[in-house]
Structures are given as structure tokens and as C-alpha cells.
Amino acid sequence: MQSMTSVPLSWYLILSAILFALGVAGFVIRRNLITVFMSIELMLNAVNLSFITFSYQLKQVDGHIFSFFVMVVAAAEAAVGLAIILAIFRNRSSLQIDDISSMKY
Amino acid sequence: MDAILFLIFATIAVLCAINLVVQKHPISSALSLIGVMASLAVLYLLLGGEFLAAVQLIVYAGAIMVLFVFVIMLLNAGAERRSNRSLMATLFGVPLLAAFLALVAYVIQRGLPPTEGVYFGGFTQGTPRAIGRVLFTQYLLPFEVTSVLILIAIIGAVVLARKEI
Amino acid sequence: MHHLWLIPTIPLAGSMINLLFGRRLPKIAVSGVAIGSVLLSFLWVLNVLSGLGGLEEAHIERYFTWIQSGDFNVGFDLMVDRLTAVMLLVVTGIGLLIHIYSSGYMAHEEGFSRFFAYLNLFMFFMLILVLAANYLVLFVGWEGVGLCSYLLIGFYYLKKSAGDAGKKAFIVNRVGDFGFSLAMFLIVVTFGTLDFARVFAQAKDMPVEAGVGTLTVICLLLLLGATGKSAQVPLYVWLPDAMEGPTPVSALIHAATMVTAGVYMVARSSVLYLKAPLAMDAVAIIGLVTAVLAATIGLAQNDIKKVFAYSTVSQLGYMFLALGVGAFSAGIFHVVTHAFFKALLFLGAGSVIHALEGEQDMRLMGGLRSKIPVTFATIFCAAVAIAGVPPFSGFHSKDEILLAAHHHAPWMYWVGVVTAGMTAFYVFRAIFMTFFGSYRGHHHPHESPWVMLGPLCILALLSLGGGYIHIPHFLEPLFPLAESAHESTLVYISVAAGLAGIGLAWLMYVAQPGLPDAISRSFRGLYTLVYNKYFVDEIYDAVIVHPLRDGSRSVLWKGIDEGVIDNVVNGVGRSARNVGSVLRVMQSGYIRSYATWVVLGSVIVVAAISFLGGSR
């Protein structure tokens, strides 16, 4: 019964890879700072899924702990990142990522 | 049953993620992201992560995404403008990503040892009790460090959000 | 340990104080620091010498290893032997007197503190030079005094002629230093060390070279260095121009101390020279040629300092003659007495110039005897000393040299005697033109202050009595006394030549003032030749300077510098810019393109892992 209804481990990992790739795609394609930021969150989630999958595979709880920490970091990052976005918006009145190009040589 | 549940929620997650990427308005993207997170929470549950599934819903979908939506509303961010300035990104980005995905799938398929599949109840240590025990014994120091990290993040957010900057 | 290092370091400290804070200090403090540091140095020299006693052996102090490379090892070593002791006393003693004199002479000049800073710096390097215990430390002092000479010749840097003279001195000295450097390389190759003690110990066991051997080459190269520093033919041309500097500088650097560095260096290397008779002959002949040439030029000069400058060149020629005939101690003896009377001549000339508010042309002087009597009296002492009138100092040292020359080759003696006559003539010509007759200028001469006259009086005493400090005897352990038959006839002849020169000068410039013009008219061509210094400067200009400058301009500048070097440099820059303009596309500043690069990178990494290393 188990073997019939069980899902291969690789499916979870490939799902994780697809979500990660979509996150990267969002990061690269989207021009809105907030959407780009959400794409980063999506990538973090994809990685979390990998962690939990491997945790299941290895029958160890450490993967869960790591995704827990990732969530903590994501929360902190969201707070700081959104504050930065606020500051940028106040200064430039724009959320277009291509308007922010002062990192150039 | 497990496979059906996985397929349903994996499909939802992928569709929501595609929607996130495709939508031009940030608020649609944010709602799609909530969908991804919710379906991921179900998948966590399937993998035995009871505690994490709850945290995913409460912290991620609840708190963080509310913050996002709040900022979007606050800034009154509209649909994005088209620009051709990072032409290279759009030209090379998507093919590269496809290549990346193919490669990772190849690695996963080839590199993973053949094991039994995932079924609900195959992993029972994801309970709050088990996680709490590990978190407050073995991972106590990192845990405390994260509290400092969050404190710093709060201060940083407050400083950055002040009017003068 | 007798702390030899203190001797040069005290003037260095004085120099640094004046260089850094001199502008803000009052003049009395500046001169106080400068004179005080030299005085302390002089006292320390006395202390060291009395502590060292008889100095039968050289006293060497090794401070630290300076350069080490394999077996080759150069230390910062100082030493004192009898030769150094003589030089130390001369340098610090005369230096002290000239410092005191300068505080009066320079009192109304701009750049008072700068002057004393340079002068003290000169003392530092000169003392390093004489204290050095190996060739490299000597070379440091050698170059350092050259630098200070350059700085002080060009002291009045707003005057173009002064700046040019400084540059000329510096560049001409480079030629000599080139020879010195090559000599040092050769010494390292031959002896494996630069240490005096070890080089000379090895050289002592080498045979006397009949032809041109390594030692001869070394000695000739050292001689080239010495001709540069000591203004010998063919590199003497810078010294007359060096008179552009303040007069105390001419006295200290270009008469008493620095220009004798070449003599000192050759005497220091006497062990090497004694093994290379050919080089010795070269030294003697160069000395003799210089002595005659400079003396003849000195006959026809009208600038009082130029006369004394050519006199210095000529006297240095005498010293080289002494060295060349093997009478090293006589050469050093002449260095000492020359330091006395030539410093006095220059300081006296400075006093005259000071009295006439900057006038240097002797044709506009005359009759100053009664107006500045102390200056006249002291300068007269120097004149009789240099003219070789017995029993004054010049007589003793010149006599030693001429007798040694006669012993070596009689014709050298006769040339020397003629030169001695000329020396007496031109010095007394200067004296008579300046102090006798009637005043031809339009200034109001005034006697110099006692701070200037004091050193003059001390130097006058030394010029008169200095001959009785019997230096050759003191130096006997280092340089065995050259055997010379003390033939009294030869002494009489040379004294007679000197007196004849004085008499002729008296005849021409006091008794029959019309005579010089008549003579110069009847020997027009010869007079023009001598008056224009044999056109040596013009010849050097035409033969060396112009071709060099034109060659530099057309070949080195236009061809190599602009054509090759600039093109290479610009080409490198241009190619960097071209590469950059390609790479710049990557650095667009757009975050999304950066992200794309990251993706590209991760694709490559994952591909590498999966295809190359990842398949366990």
C-alpha cells in the first residue's frame, strides 16, 4: 500500500527546483522592486522544501530546524528589505528596478 | 492518496508561482505568493513537518505577506512600466533558467540513490515537541543568535524607515 | 666604544632643527643651533681623539649590517686612524670657524635658516665621508657632500646663473661618481668586500702591476671619481662656476673640505695605488696639468672669487702631484695648510665683498688697505702663506711636495716651481689690485663685524704657523715618508720663484700700473686665450653638451620616448580601455543583469559538478 500511494522523493526535489527557477525568473524578468523581493521569498521557500524533503529522507529533524532558521531570517530580511524599499521610494518616487543603476562602474 | 494530494498542491504551487512571475501588478503577485506558501504548507505536512506547516502559514503567509501587502498598499505601487534597459536579462535569463532547471533535474534523477517514496506518517519527528527539544538543546546558541538578528533587523527597519533618509 | 657616530650626527640634528623649525626661530637661535652643533661635534672629536691616545692602530666601530647578500656584506662602520684624525680636525675646526663667520656674513640675507641647515647637513656628510670604514659609506658621504654643494651653489636660486652653476657642478660630478661606482663594483668583484681593512690587507699581498691590471683599472676609475670631486682636469670646470654660491660656502666646501675629498680618497686607497704605478703616474700628471692650467687662467681673471677658485684648482693639482709621486703625507699636509690659507683667502674676499656691498670685480676695488685694515692684514697673511714664503705654512707643505716631485722626476719639480711662481703672482696681483693704489669703485667700504673678523684672525695665525704642525711625521705609520734629498738649493729655487712672482705683481700693479695693459696688448692672442679660460667651457659645450642635448632631443625624446615608450604606455592604456569597454557591458548597474550573470555562473557550476565531479 505504501509503495502504491507513496510519492518518489525526486518529485519533491524537482518541485523545489521548479519553484526556485520560477523565483529566479521573477527576479530577472520583473521590474518592480516589490515583486523582485517576493521572488526572493519564493526562492527561499523552494529551498525550505528541499530541506524538509531531505530531512524526511534522512529521518533527521535538523532540516526542519534549518528551515525554521530560514524563516526567521526571511522575516528579518522582509522587515529590513521593505524598509529599504520605503526609503528608496521616498527618495526616487519610483519602484522601477532599472531606475536604480548607480552601482555601475 | 499521497500522490494525489502531492500532485494537486504541487500544481497549485507551480501555477501560483508562474502567476507571480507573469503578473504585472505587485498585489496579484503577492496574492499568488500566498497561494504558493499555503500549498507548500500542505506539502510540509505530507513530509511530516507539522510544526513547520503551521509556522509557514502563520509567520510566512500571515505576518510576512501581510507586511508585503501593507507596503504595496502604502506605496500605492501600480503596474510596472516596460523598459528595455536590461535587455540582456530578458534575452538570456529565460534560456539560462531552462538550462539550469534541466541540469538540476538531471542531477536529481541521476544522483539520488533509489529509496522508498514519501508517504504521510513516514516521519514523525516534525512535531512541536520534537523540534522544541532539539531547538533548545542542540541548537540553543543559534536560536539565541537569531533573536539578536531579529532585534538588529527591527532596529535597522526603524532606522531605515525614518523620514530623514 | 667611543661613540664615533655622535660626530656626524650632531650636525645632522642641527640641520634637521633648522630645516624644520628654522623659519620660525629668530636668527640668533638659528645660528646658535648651527654653530653649537658644529662646536659640540668639534669638542666630541677632541674627546674621542684624546680618548684614543696615540692611534697606532685604526679604531673601528661597527654599528649594523647595512647590506647583506650572500657572502657580500656591507656594514655601517666608522673608523678613526691618523689620516681620519687629521681630516676630522680640519673639517670640524675650519667648519666651526666658517659657521661663526657665516652668522655675520649672512646676517642680512634671505634664507638664513636654510643656509645653516644646508651647511650643517654638509658637515654631516663630510664627517661621514672621512669617518667611513668602507667604500660604500664613504660613497654616501661623497654623494651627500655633492648634494649639499649643489644646494649651496644654487643658494641664490632666483639667479639663473646660480642655478645653472649648481646643476653644472652636480652633472660634472656625476661623471666622476660614475667612475667611482665602477671602481667599487670592480673592488667587490676582485676582493669580495668593500671594507677598507680587508681590501687593503688583500691588496698588500698582491704583486706590483707592471702593465694595466685590475688594480690599475680600479685606481684609474677611483681617480676619475677624484677628478670630479676635487676639480681636476678634465672635470675641473664646475669649480670656478661654483663661486656663485655664498662666499662662506666657497670657503668651506669649495676650498677647505669637500674638494679635498678626492685627495683624501686617493690617500686612503694608497695601498692600491702603490701597487699600480701606472695609475700613480696618471695621478701625478693630471695633478701637474691641472696646477699649470688653472694657474695660468688665474693670471688673467678680474673677479676676486674666480681668482681664488682657479687658485684652489691649481693647489688641488699640487696635492694630486704629491699623491702621484708617492708623497701621500705631503699631499695631506698640503690639504691642511691649504684649508687654512685658502679658507682665509675666501673669507677675506668675502669680507671685502661684504664691505663693498656685493662688488666682486677687482677693477672696481683698490686702496682698501686703510679702509678695512683687519681684513687686509689677515688676507695678507694668507697670501704670503700660499706664495710659499718661508717660514709660513704654505712654504712647508709646498716644499715637501716639490722635493718629492724632484725625487720622482726632476721635470715635474721645474713645472711645479713655475706654477708656484704664477701662484704667488696672481695672489699678490689680487692683493695689490684690491688693497693698494686708489679706490676705483663707488661704494663706501666699511669694516666687517668682529664675528667675521674673529675667524679671520684665528685662520691667519694658523696660516702663518700651521707649517709647524708636522703632519707628515704624524702620518708616518700610514704613509712611510717619501725619501727626498733635502737639497737646500731646490728649496731656495722654489722660494725664489715665489718671491719673483710677488715682485712681478708689485711691479705690474703697484709700481707701474700701465704695464699690464701694455703686456696684454702685445700678447693679444695669448691674453684672450687665457682670459677666456682656454675656451674649455665652450669646447665642452660644443663637443659634449650640444651633441648630447641635440641627440637627446631628436633621438631619445622624439624617437624613443615619444615613439616607443609613449606608444607602449599609451597602447597599454588604450588596450585596457578597449577591454574595459567590452567588459563594461557586464557592469551595467542594472540589478537584473547582475542576476543573469549569477544564473549563468550557477549553470556553469552545476554543469561542471554534474558532468565532471558530481558522479560519485
Side-chain angles (χ1 to χ4, degrees), chain A residues 24 27-31 98 101 103-105, chain C residues 584 587-592 594-596 599:
Chain A
V24 175
F27 189 97
V28 171
I29 294 170
R30 292 271 63 101
R31 299 179 187 81
D98 288 347
S101 60
M103 285 210 296
K104 138 170 76 180
Y105 60 98
Chain C
R584 189 164 71 173
Q587 296 289 319
S588 59
Y590 300 128
I591 298 158
R592 301 194 300 156
Y594 293 142
T596 315
V599 174

Side-chain angles (χ1 to χ4, degrees), chain A residues 7 30 45 62 90 98-99, chain B residues 21 80 85 118 139 162:
Chain A
V7 184
R30 292 271 63 101
N45 270 292
D62 301 62
R90 263 212 302 273
D98 288 347
D99 289 349
Chain B
V21 174
E80 65 186 25
R85 271 182 286 182
V118 178
Y139 287 98
R162 279 192 318 188

Side-chain angles (χ1 to χ4, degrees), chain C residues 251-480:
Chain C
L252 176 62
I253 300 184
H254 304 120
T257 52
M258 185 190 86
V259 287
T260 61
V263 182
Y264 166 79
M265 193 263 286
V266 173
R268 172 62 73 201
S269 315
S270 60
V271 178
L272 302 180
Y273 277 92
L274 286 173
K275 301 286 175 186
L278 216 61
M280 290 282 274
D281 288 342
V283 173
I285 287 168
I286 281 182
L288 208 54
V289 169
T290 311
V292 176
L293 195 77
T296 51
I297 297 174
L299 295 176
Q301 297 303 308
N302 287 324
D303 184 320
I304 186 166
K305 283 181 74 180
K306 282 274 162 71
V307 173
F308 294 153
Y310 280 105
S311 161
T312 305
V313 176
S314 171
Q315 296 299 309
L316 288 165
Y318 263 112
M319 297 170 204
F320 274 79
L321 173 63
L323 300 174
V325 300
F328 295 105
S329 51
I332 296 297
F333 189 22
H334 201 54
V335 166
V336 175
T337 56
H338 176 257
F340 295 153
F341 57 68
K342 188 51 64 65
L344 178 52
L345 278 178
F346 269 114
L347 295 184
S351 182
V352 170
I353 294 164
H354 191 73
L356 298 178
E357 288 158 27
E359 186 54 64
Q360 298 195 6
D361 193 332
M362 293 192 295
R363 286 168 297 189
L364 297 176
M365 297 178 186
L368 295 176
R369 186 175 30 159
S370 52
K371 298 200 167 94
I372 45 174
V374 183
T375 305
F376 168 68
T378 51
I379 210 169
F380 192 80
C381 296
V384 292
I386 194 175
V389 177
F392 307 126
S393 60
F395 163 73
H396 292 270
S397 53
K398 197 177 282 185
D399 215 41
E400 293 262 354
I401 294 173
L402 289 175
L403 288 177
H406 186 267
H407 184 76
H408 187 76
W411 66 271
M412 287 183 174
Y413 166 80
W414 291 109
V415 177
V417 165
V418 172
T419 312
M422 286 195 277
T423 307
F425 174 79
Y426 64 66
V427 169
F428 272 88
R429 170 176 172 268
I431 298 285
F432 292 143
M433 281 180 84
T434 311
F435 292 100
F436 287 77
S438 55
Y439 183 51
R440 298 179 292 273
H442 19 260
H443 295 286
H444 298 285
H446 55 89
E447 185 62 287
S448 303
W450 275 102
V451 69
M452 288 164 69
L453 297 178
L456 289 183
C457 294
I458 297 172
L459 282 171
L461 291 178
L462 287 169
S463 301
L464 296 178
Y468 292 101
I469 311 167
H470 202 60
I471 285 167
H473 183 70
F474 180 68
L475 292 177
E476 215 182 327
L478 285 169
F479 311 117

Side-chain angles (χ1 to χ4, degrees), chain C residues 12 97 133 183 193 198 241 243 245 271 285 291 296 404 437 461 463 475 526 565:
Chain C
L12 179 66
L97 292 175
T193 175
R198 267 177 274 167
D241 286 19
M243 296 303 130
V271 178
I285 287 168
T296 51
L461 291 178
S463 301
L475 292 177
L526 196 64
I565 296 174

